[in-house]
Amino acid sequence: MTIARPVRALIVAVVFAVCLLVVHFAGSSPSKASVFKLDSHERDPNLDPTHEPEGILRRTSKGYLPGPEGTERINATLLALVRNGELSGMLQAMNDLERTWNHKFNYPWTFFNDVPFTEEFKRRTRAATKAECHYEVIPDEHWAKPAWIDDDLYRESVKMLKENEIQYADKISYHQMCRWNSGMFYRHPALEHMQFYWRVEPKVHFFCDVDYDIFRYMQDNNKTYGFTITLYDAPHSIPTLWPETVKFLAEHPEHVHSNNAMDWLTDRVRRPEHNANANGYSTCHFWTNFEIADLSLWRSKAYEDYFNHLDRAGGFFYERWGDAPVHSIALGLFEDKSRIHWFRDIGYQHIPFFNCPNSPKCKGCVTGRLTDGEAWLNREDCRPNWFKFVGMG
């Protein structure tokens, strides 16, 4: 590991020069927008029962009204990576989402595990929904540590991550999960013909009644990715992720979209220490424990090339690269940012953070509250940066 540090320092030294080339390739220009301040107490018109926003509610010809005769479901699934021991947390999340949304549309659930699901898990999750449930085992070749990962280097890397107090660094299953969620899940045969998915994790909460078909909204409005919360990542968990990204972009400038979100990925204003410790990356990322996405994003040549580059670099194991920064960097570089949508009307919580709209349709959360944790956690909110550089669409 001591030999690798001078090499890493050399990489860092050239990063900023290469970043200038990347910005040139991407056609990005500094944002002229003033700093966006989110007013969390502003009413959300999409949830106002007297309001009919364009393209969202009251469009019977497109199937947005609830009920089996009006849903016109499209090719989509609710997706969960979950262990048998997380059954109670999964049932709580299912009950919330079924109550607030899915009982109106009955989209199927697809559960993934690296071992077979128990009969109890199947019986109780089936009882929680009227929709179809599918139970899938992840193939060993999708879950196991790749052959090119050096075991000695992995063990030494884990020691360094623990010294920097990086959570879950010593859990091999966590590294495997991050890699699977980043670039393997969409390769599973069960999703081969699927178009959209909504990722749901155990113990998450949903607070607001939503009366329109989320997946059809995505399709009809040409959206490919939906989020509720964006945060800053722990920079010491991903120190070489951005340098590896810059290296990839130098080799593949053709993948960068002309309407990218490079400014969001490289902003130095609000958390400059993160930008420095992550070697040029702001660490802003979509919190992917909630994500609604078109699977064509990950099946694209740009993303496949990018993931394969990162996978070979080894950072899913030698560091703690998560699917959240990996997906977010890819979206910020390779996707048209106008196709990324903030679902401000979906009340959501994954401890300790909330997305809580201001609407009478929401119960159980406090409007304007980002976290129920310590006050310093409010600094982790990266939504104002997204709104500053991209907007609220």
Side-chain angles (χ1 to χ4, degrees):
M1 292 298 295
T2 56
I3 297 176
R5 289 176 180 172
V7 176
R8 180 175 294 179
L10 180 60
I11 293 174
V12 172
V14 301
V15 164
F16 297 106
V18 179
C19 279
L20 294 177
L21 293 175
V22 172
V23 171
H24 173 72
F25 284 132
S28 300
S29 58
S31 173
K32 296 181 180 179
S34 58
V35 175
F36 189 98
K37 186 175 182 180
L38 174 64
D39 182 0
S40 299
H41 295 276
E42 178 186 353
R43 286 189 64 81
D44 185 346
N46 292 355
L47 283 173
D48 193 322
T50 64
H51 184 75
E52 296 185 3
E54 293 183 15
I56 296 183
L57 301 178
R58 313 305 176 198
R59 287 179 57 183
T60 54
S61 64
K62 290 295 185 181
Y64 291 150
L65 287 177
E69 295 182 358
T71 56
E72 298 179 11
R73 285 203 319 247
I74 62 173
N75 191 16
T77 190
L78 303 170
L79 184 154
L81 173 64
V82 56
R83 296 179 182 276
N84 287 306
E86 296 174 306
L87 174 58
S88 61
M90 193 71 245
L91 289 172
Q92 179 261 296
M94 289 183 71
N95 289 334
D96 268 16
L97 191 54
E98 289 289 332
R99 183 188 71 254
T100 57
W101 182 74
N102 197 45
H103 77 277
K104 305 162 190 173
F105 302 99
N106 289 321
Y107 274 97
W109 289 84
T110 305
F111 300 98
F112 290 95
N113 196 349
D114 62 317
V115 299
F117 284 103
T118 64
E119 290 305 312
E120 180 189 12
F121 187 99
K122 294 177 181 179
R123 175 177 55 82
R124 296 184 65 186
T125 49
R126 286 189 181 117
T129 178
K130 294 180 180 179
E132 294 180 355
C133 292
H134 306 281
Y135 304 90
E136 306 293 342
V137 176
I138 300 169
D140 288 342
E141 61 269 25
H142 287 183
W143 188 258
K145 179 161 52 70
W148 57 83
I149 298 300
D150 182 276
D151 288 337
D152 292 334
L153 182 56
Y154 168 70
R155 285 190 288 269
E156 289 299 315
S157 299
V158 165
K159 290 180 182 178
M160 292 183 64
L161 291 169
K162 289 182 69 175
E163 289 172 4
N164 283 314
E165 300 181 343
I166 299 302
Q167 195 175 22
Y168 310 126
D170 59 343
K171 295 184 181 299
I172 184 65
S173 62
Y174 194 86
H175 293 268
Q176 291 169 309
M177 176 193 70
C178 289
R179 177 177 180 260
W180 187 82
N181 278 326
S182 293
M184 307 305 295
F185 79 97
Y186 56 88
R187 304 180 187 190
H188 196 286
L191 299 178
E192 183 179 2
H193 301 295
M194 198 64 66
Q195 180 185 3
F196 288 99
Y197 69 93
W198 181 338
R199 178 169 157 184
V200 184
E201 293 198 353
K203 297 184 179 180
V204 301
H205 288 277
F206 297 92
F207 302 105
C208 307
D209 288 330
V210 179
D211 294 329
Y212 64 97
D213 186 330
I214 296 291
F215 294 119
R216 184 160 290 281
Y217 171 82
M218 294 281 287
Q219 178 175 275
D220 288 355
N221 291 275
N222 198 28
K223 303 297 183 181
T224 55
Y225 192 85
F227 70 95
T228 53
I229 298 170
T230 72
L231 300 171
Y232 289 94
D233 208 347
H236 293 297
S237 68
I238 50 171
T240 66
L241 177 57
W242 189 250
E244 283 295 338
T245 299
V246 171
K247 186 188 302 183
F248 173 79
L249 294 178
E251 298 171 356
H252 295 283
E254 73 278 5
H255 288 326
V256 179
H257 199 283
S258 58
N259 191 34
N260 62 69
M262 175 70 79
D263 290 338
W264 178 63
L265 295 174
T266 59
D267 177 66
R268 300 169 184 269
V269 177
R270 292 194 68 221
R271 299 298 295 274
E273 74 281 10
H274 279 222
N275 193 288
N277 292 327
N279 297 317
Y281 172 34
S282 68
T283 76
C284 282
H285 64 281
F286 303 117
W287 220 24
T288 53
N289 44 67
F290 175 106
E291 67 178 4
I292 300 171
D294 187 331
L295 284 156
S296 64
L297 284 170
W298 320 128
R299 294 168 178 153
S300 67
K301 180 169 175 51
Y303 189 77
E304 283 279 86
D305 287 350
Y306 180 58
F307 172 76
N308 289 335
H309 175 93
L310 296 182
D311 203 21
R312 282 288 176 176
F316 291 107
F317 294 91
Y318 301 144
E319 296 178 1
R320 200 204 64 184
W321 296 354
D323 53 277
V326 170
H327 278 189
S328 301
I329 290 174
L331 287 161
L333 294 174
F334 311 140
E335 180 57 299
D336 183 338
K337 62 189 178 187
S338 70
R339 303 183 74 189
I340 300 172
H341 179 68
W342 176 41
F343 278 104
R344 64 179 296 177
D345 54 340
I346 297 180
Y348 175 75
Q349 181 199 27
H350 184 295
I351 295 173
F353 295 106
F354 293 84
N355 182 65
C356 189
N358 182 5
S359 169
K361 288 192 174 185
C362 302
K363 298 177 181 178
C365 65
V366 179
T367 299
R369 180 188 189 184
L370 174 68
T371 178
D372 58 2
E374 298 181 24
W376 66 268
L377 288 170
N378 287 298
R379 294 186 66 223
E380 301 306 308
D381 190 1
C382 198
R383 286 177 299 179
N385 273 33
W386 180 257
F387 303 143
K388 171 186 173 182
F389 292 116
V390 180
M392 299 179 68

